[in-house]
Amino acid sequence: MEILYENFLNLQWQQVVMWLIGGILIYLAIQKKMEPTLLLPMGFGAILVNLPMSGAITQFIAETGEQIGEVGPLSTLYSAGIANELFPLILFIGIGAMIDFGPLLSNPKLMLFGAAAQFGIFFTLCLASVFFPNINDAASIAIIGAADGPTAISVAVKLGSKYLGPIMVAAYSYMALVPIIQPPIIKLCTTKKERLIRMPYTQKSVSKTTRILFPIVITIIAGLVAPSSVALVGFLMFGNLIRECGVLDSISETAQKVLANLITIFLGITVASQMQADKFLTVDTLLILGLGLFAFIFDTAGGVFFAKFLNLFLKEKINPMIGAAGISAFPMSGRIVHKMGQDEDPQNFLLMHSIGVNVSGQIASVIAGGIILSIFGS
């Protein structure tokens, strides 16, 4: 009873706020089924790291000068998987194994939309530099707009940003919240007439040789254009090569399911270790979350308006919504665009187009991260 009373006395309103945030994430994961593999461990972890510490732990921390999250199993996960970029790189193998580049290979011009949807990164970099004079911090914050958690982690680690924790939280939170964030932006940027545009899809055969050569060639090109991106692109493309080679089916299935899910859970818990109230509820952290949302909004709008610009010159019009799928949140963004098209017109099938743009965004976001590293990395 004495310990219970002591813990209630030590309870701060910031901890309660973090419990509420954790509860919201758990609700979205279970009730709304929004990225449960990621949001559930993040939500539970946010509650876990903000529970009142017992007197013995408080005394231990006071004597050693350590902060919670820097000791124990969460620290081990952070050091083993985040600080050395191991988790993001391994996760890229799983993501690569999930991706079918067929729609992109059958219509290569979709790559343009993936590039256009990275506009928000560089626009946010300019804005972030106003609030964060250290250009490495500003660049690390801007990469949140890639909608790619592993890339955001890798860039922040390599640039030595002191805001790695908030950047991790923002990147993964917004990735999971794409179904909430993107639809209103897409509707705001398009007219009903534009959303009703149908895009017939003709299935084109892509040879096995092309599918095998594609990840190899992309890795070589990325290494020449943005050498700092070669590790990220290489692991992503290696995962895809495992999928397409045809002789490693069991490994491909493991990478897509067991490996990707396991690493995602570890990432979710490790990200949550950075959601301690005293670190999370600060002006800088809230500003980073705001800038991350700003980047997501302008990435989405950039892809949409690029499609609208092309429509000025094309006879066969493009449904501008597919431009929004150019962010890296795969396959969520592609599915959202398809669903929005179906809501407007049940006979409008945009899935193959939007998924093609979505996988191009996966490549473009990694290359954008490499370009950021090439410019600002030491």
Side-chain angles (χ1 to χ4, degrees), residues 74-116:
L74 290 180
S75 172
T76 302
L77 278 176
Y78 186 88
S79 300
I82 300 296
N84 60 8
E85 303 173 63
L86 179 63
F87 285 170
L89 292 178
I90 293 178
L91 184 57
F92 264 131
I93 295 177
I95 294 172
M98 295 178 197
I99 295 177
D100 177 7
F101 285 114
L104 177 61
L105 291 171
S106 63
N107 191 5
K109 67 176 181 286
L110 295 178
M111 181 66 78
L112 295 173
F113 294 99

Side-chain angles (χ1 to χ4, degrees), residues 335-352:
R335 290 173 179 168
I336 288 166
V337 169
H338 173 65
K339 184 179 183 300
M340 290 183 68
Q342 292 269 282
D343 290 342
E344 298 288 344
D345 175 6
Q347 301 303 314
N348 195 3
F349 298 96
L350 298 174
L351 184 61
M352 298 309 293

Side-chain angles (χ1 to χ4, degrees), residues 40-95:
L40 191 61
M42 279 182 63
F44 185 78
I47 295 173
L48 180 66
V49 298
N50 287 288
L51 291 171
M53 295 176 291
S54 68
I57 297 178
T58 304
Q59 183 178 358
F60 168 76
I61 290 176
E63 290 174 353
T64 60
E66 299 286 354
Q67 297 293 319
I68 189 168
E70 295 177 356
V71 292
L74 290 180
S75 172
T76 302
L77 278 176
Y78 186 88
S79 300
I82 300 296
N84 60 8
E85 303 173 63
L86 179 63
F87 285 170
L89 292 178
I90 293 178
L91 184 57
F92 264 131
I93 295 177
I95 294 172

